[in-house]
Amino acid sequence: GAGVSQSPSNKVTEKGKDVELRCDPISGHTALYWYRQSLGQGLEFLIYFQGNSAPDKSGLPSDRFSAERTGGSVSTLTIQRTQQEDSAVYLCASSLARRAENSPLHFGNGTRLTVT
Amino acid sequence: TQLLEQSPQFLSIQEGENLTVYCNSSSVFSSLQWYRQEPGEGPVLLVTVVTGGEVKKLKRLTFQFGDARKDSSLHITAAQPGDTGLYLCAGANAGKSTFGDGTTLTVKP
């Protein structure tokens, strides 16, 4: 594809339900990132995948959050037992190079999650 | 934790004015990137600066990386309504990018 694709674009869920957010990175990009953004704010790092290495999960806010990346391509971010404070835009980005210093991040348009 | 502080948080100006936004940190970064984000979309890269003291120009936008690679500035000359958006700086180290909270710029016609 031409760019990073995220689905769904919008998700409204009830408090306590589980949600899955999907990210299709640019073909050939080995690095994949998940960020969370509150309205008009900066990006909060969640998790980083690089090739076959163990992911950097240091940004996940609680054990209700998890992510996987299958076959080095598609990634799914799962939030269990959603809470209202989980409401935000979840952005996925991919990068060609191993190190962020050497390659810019290409972002999808995000999934806007609303927990009611 | 590496923190990036951006200022001002909000900026509203008239078309034709000049402006500067700042990105500061106590940490040294291997590189620093500036992104612009419009509503409903993901951030889009504007520039990457790598060398301390580096200055890059992109049409009416001038980017500077501090000598110590801890801070950066973005200057826009003769701002236009199309420049409206959220401007984010991101410092890269150890394979990961850390973002500031952004500057929301509104340029009124």
Side-chain angles (χ1 to χ4, degrees):
Chain A
V4 177
S5 177
Q6 291 188 247
S7 61
S9 56
N10 283 282
K11 177 71 176 179
V12 180
T13 189
E14 293 180 352
K15 177 181 174 181
K17 297 285 179 107
D18 298 351
V19 294
E20 284 190 353
L21 312 180
R22 177 188 169 102
C23 173
D24 278 284
I26 293 174
S27 178
H29 280 196
T30 59
L32 187 147
Y33 304 76
W34 283 98
Y35 288 88
R36 180 169 69 174
Q37 185 177 34
S38 299
L39 184 63
Q41 297 297 306
L43 277 62
E44 175 189 2
F45 168 77
L46 297 178
I47 188 168
Y48 162 54
F49 296 89
Q50 174 55 259
N52 295 322
S53 303
D56 177 350
K57 304 180 181 180
S58 60
L60 294 178
S62 77
D63 58 8
R64 296 186 295 105
F65 288 72
S66 63
E68 62 178 21
R69 188 178 185 192
T70 54
S73 182
V74 172
S75 177
T76 302
L77 176 68
T78 301
I79 309 173
Q80 296 178 310
R81 304 181 303 281
T82 52
Q83 303 294 314
Q84 289 185 332
E85 60 262 29
D86 299 334
S87 296
V89 175
Y90 289 82
L91 288 162
C92 175
S94 69
S95 175
L96 183 60
R98 169 176 290 275
R99 296 177 64 84
E101 297 90 316
N102 301 329
S103 180
L105 301 182
H106 298 263
F107 284 88
N109 286 336
T111 293
R112 180 176 296 280
L113 176 65
T114 304
V115 182
T116 61
Chain B
T1 301
Q2 298 176 319
L3 297 177
L4 281 165
E5 295 185 355
Q6 291 190 240
S7 62
Q9 185 177 0
F10 298 97
L11 187 56
S12 181
I13 62 172
Q14 292 296 134
E15 181 176 3
E17 293 183 357
N18 301 332
L19 66 115
T20 302
V21 298
Y22 301 92
C23 174
N24 295 295
S25 175
S26 58
S27 301
V28 176
F29 292 100
S30 301
S31 68
L32 193 140
Q33 297 165 340
W34 284 92
Y35 292 80
R36 190 177 89 184
Q37 185 180 22
E38 298 190 28
E41 299 181 3
V44 176
L45 179 73
L46 295 174
V47 77
T48 299
V49 285
V50 178
T51 306
E54 181 177 3
V55 176
K56 280 192 174 179
K57 291 191 175 184
L58 184 65
K59 297 183 180 178
R60 295 176 293 101
L61 278 60
T62 301
F63 305 85
Q64 186 163 7
F65 200 14
D67 291 341
R69 290 186 288 129
K70 293 182 179 180
D71 55 86
S72 181
S73 64
L74 159 60
H75 181 80
I76 301 178
T77 303
Q80 300 177 358
D83 296 327
T84 293
L86 176 66
Y87 288 81
L88 295 157
C89 66
N93 261 338
K96 195 164 67 179
S97 290
T98 301
F99 282 80
D101 282 343
T103 293
T104 299
L105 171 65
T106 303
V107 182
K108 301 175 183 178

